[in-house]
Amino acid sequence: MPAHRTPVTSAATTLTARALLLDMDGTIVNSDAVVERCWRQWAGEHGLDPDEVMKVVHGRQGYATMAVLLPDRPMEQNHADNRRMLAAETADVDGVVPVAGAPAFMAALAGLPHALVTSADLRLAEARMGAAALPMPAVRVTAESVGASKPDPEGFLKGAARLGFAPEECVVFEDSEAGIAAGRAAGMRVVGVGPRAAAHAPDAHVADLTRVRVEALPGGGLTLHISS
């Protein structure tokens, strides 16, 4: 089945695909409270403006965020800090909740090809998905699975390969600039979720997942009915 996008009206979009690739934080799980706590503390420790730090943390692995913010610091220090940050974030699930509509959206994907593609490591992904009471997809690409952080497309390309589909047959759900860029670089269509995504020209944009309806197609594949 060829994948295609059919605009319906300015307020509605239909996308057909063989598989979906889902970011986690900001897309199906709202972890902003934890991210704010941990990264604002890190910013203070390094004499950085917390508001400026928060503009670049979303979507990337921690070490990649640190490399952007502290370009002259040795990368081994970024990786050491990243390990410490991952432990702190894994231990802190206070305020972690599902994005609106995520429980029904994930339930609709049961039995359909989909994968989690996240910059979190597996322990953090399990902690946050569990705190949000969302099912962990059987196929997941976490930080341990890739050699490069988003906006590099490696994670999405690996997710598509593990599901057995070509990039153009997949639709990405993302909330961040880095994630949207990664999905686009992978040759995939992108649905942007939430306020951060709106500024980065995804193929379709929704405020949350209550605006997405999933329809399984006879013989395989699915249709996304998206309302703005």
Side-chain angles (χ1 to χ4, degrees), residues 105 173 191 206 208-214 224-227:
F105 176 73
F173 278 71
V191 176
V206 292
D208 57 47
L209 294 170
T210 65
R211 315 300 292 179
V212 181
R213 181 170 63 86
V214 180
L224 299 169
H225 301 278
I226 299 168
S227 58

Side-chain angles (χ1 to χ4, degrees), residues 99-185:
V99 166
F105 176 73
M106 296 300 289
L109 293 183
L112 295 174
H114 67 287
L116 189 72
V117 181
T118 176
S119 293
D121 67 4
L122 181 59
R123 288 186 62 210
L124 180 57
E126 289 175 338
R128 288 188 175 164
M129 293 291 282
L134 294 175
M136 176 66 84
V139 177
R140 53 270 188 135
V141 179
T142 58
E144 303 95 329
S145 308
V146 297
S149 172
K150 300 172 186 176
D152 191 283
E154 180 185 0
F156 287 123
L157 292 171
K158 282 193 171 181
R162 290 181 184 181
L163 290 170
F165 297 105
E168 63 270 19
E169 296 178 302
C170 300
V171 169
V172 165
F173 278 71
E174 264 287 359
D175 74 301
S176 69
E177 179 181 10
I180 291 169
R184 189 173 290 123

Side-chain angles (χ1 to χ4, degrees), residues 19 29 34 44 52 88-89 96 138 155 175 177 192 203 212:
V29 172
V34 179
E52 293 303 312
E89 292 188 75
V96 174
D175 74 301
E177 179 181 10
D203 294 281
V212 181

